[in-house]
Amino acid sequence: MSREKIYEQLNTVFQDVFDDDSIKVEDNTSAKDISAWDSMAHINLVLGTEQEFGIKFRTSEVAKLNNVGEFIDLIQNKLAS
């Protein structure tokens, strides 16, 4: 799956979790860029992403992420394995 397609699907997950169709994530987007991104929203993002892409994350993998670009990299790696 292309990085662009992952972005498209991940953006939909973000819009659904935050109930905000104006959200457009980029590589450097992080929790500090979205005011409603708290710990509960973070869990919902992870669960929504797992469901959207049919993959599972380990807590240790998610804990290392600093921004959406790293999240995209992780999704790509999961989809490739």
Side-chain angles (χ1 to χ4, degrees):
M1 180 180 291
S2 71
R3 193 171 180 88
E4 290 75 24
K5 182 66 177 164
I6 293 172
Y7 260 107
E8 182 181 315
Q9 290 182 233
L10 186 60
N11 208 54
T12 300
V13 172
F14 271 75
Q15 291 172 345
D16 288 346
V17 167
F18 294 107
D19 195 26
D20 183 349
D21 291 340
S22 70
I23 291 176
K24 180 132 177 93
V25 295
E26 300 175 342
D27 273 348
N28 61 354
T29 301
S30 68
K32 67 182 178 199
D33 298 312
I34 300 173
S35 61
W37 191 339
D38 57 15
S39 59
M40 183 58 78
H42 192 79
I43 291 168
N44 288 332
L45 283 172
V46 170
L47 294 175
T49 302
E50 287 179 335
Q51 185 173 18
E52 178 71 23
F53 293 95
I55 55 179
K56 290 285 186 190
F57 300 108
R58 291 189 309 255
T59 302
S60 61
E61 294 172 323
V62 176
K64 295 177 186 174
L65 300 175
N66 294 308
N67 56 44
V68 169
E70 292 178 7
F71 199 25
I72 296 278
D73 292 341
L74 180 59
I75 293 167
Q76 277 188 308
N77 288 337
K78 292 282 186 182
L79 292 174
S81 60

